[in-house]
Amino acid sequence: MIRSYKEIADTGLDDLYEVQKAFDNVHAIFTLMLQHFPEDSTGNAFAQLGVLEVNDWSTKVFQWCERMENELDDVDAEMQKSVQLPHHLLDLRSNDVAEAISAERKHATRWWTHLNEMRRRKELPGWVAADIGTHDEHDLLLESRKAVNQVLFGSLDLGGDQTNRVIQLG
């Protein structure tokens, strides 16, 4: 199970409130002891020490809870202000990213086409021509595009008719 830091902090805060309740219960026990033991008895002295100690720790836990609540409120406010990016990007950012990826892909496709044509005319050195413009390379290009789309947009859709080869690659 993977939990965010905020979820862990929320759980810690809930636990601190439970500790606060426990201190209240212990305080009630010491208060009862004070009422039932005579003032000059050992039991009454222990109850007085217990009340002082529980009050001190109860105050510390209460202050800690207040600080944690304030910090968590600040985190909530920051989360509300910033757009959270889950598995796929949202709204305006999604459009910006899609446009940037599309522009990069257009540029890459243009260069791939030029290199393929140069390979077909035997204008490239053999060590370059071996992998340029082949069916395998085209398939690899489409697979990498699908992987990017899946990660960013939650879809393998490339848009258009990109999975079909219109021109026979030589």
Side-chain angles (χ1 to χ4, degrees):
M1 176 173 80
I2 297 174
R3 296 187 320 163
S4 71
Y5 291 122
K6 178 162 180 343
E7 291 170 325
I8 293 168
D10 282 331
T11 301
L13 183 60
D14 291 343
D15 291 345
L16 283 175
Y17 278 123
E18 291 298 316
V19 169
Q20 184 70 39
K21 288 179 190 174
F23 282 145
D24 290 344
N25 291 337
V26 172
H27 187 274
I29 292 169
F30 284 130
T31 302
L32 278 174
M33 289 175 64
L34 286 173
Q35 294 170 357
H36 286 86
F37 287 107
E39 280 189 35
D40 60 345
S41 71
T42 305
N44 189 288
F46 281 139
Q48 287 178 24
L49 283 173
V51 166
L52 290 173
E53 192 68 20
V54 166
N55 285 347
D56 183 48
W57 277 101
S58 181
T59 300
K60 289 176 186 176
V61 170
F62 179 76
Q63 290 171 343
W64 195 6
C65 287
E66 280 187 326
R67 276 184 257 149
M68 284 185 70
E69 273 188 343
N70 290 339
E71 292 289 330
L72 288 171
D73 287 345
D74 291 347
V75 168
D76 286 337
E78 283 298 315
M79 289 174 69
Q80 293 299 323
K81 282 195 277 185
S82 66
V83 176
Q84 296 298 303
L85 301 176
H87 180 64
H88 52 281
L89 300 174
L90 301 174
D91 303 335
L92 181 58
R93 286 187 179 178
S94 180
N95 291 335
D96 292 344
V97 169
E99 287 175 16
I101 289 172
S102 179
E104 188 279 330
R105 286 178 175 176
K106 184 176 180 181
H107 181 76
T109 301
R110 182 173 164 232
W111 277 103
W112 184 86
T113 302
H114 288 301
L115 289 171
N116 181 44
E117 288 301 314
M118 289 175 74
R119 180 190 61 83
R120 292 181 69 191
R121 290 190 303 259
K122 302 198 185 314
E123 295 172 355
L124 292 175
W127 63 272
V128 174
D131 295 324
I132 299 296
T134 64
H135 290 294
D136 289 339
E137 187 196 24
H138 187 264
D139 292 342
L140 193 61
L141 172 81
L142 292 178
E143 287 305 312
S144 67
R145 287 181 177 184
K146 286 180 186 177
V148 168
N149 283 11
Q150 181 64 46
V151 169
L152 294 178
F153 307 112
S155 170
L156 294 175
D157 183 26
L158 294 175
D161 191 23
Q162 298 191 26
T163 56
N164 298 324
R165 294 187 189 103
V166 179
I167 301 172
Q168 189 68 1
L169 302 176

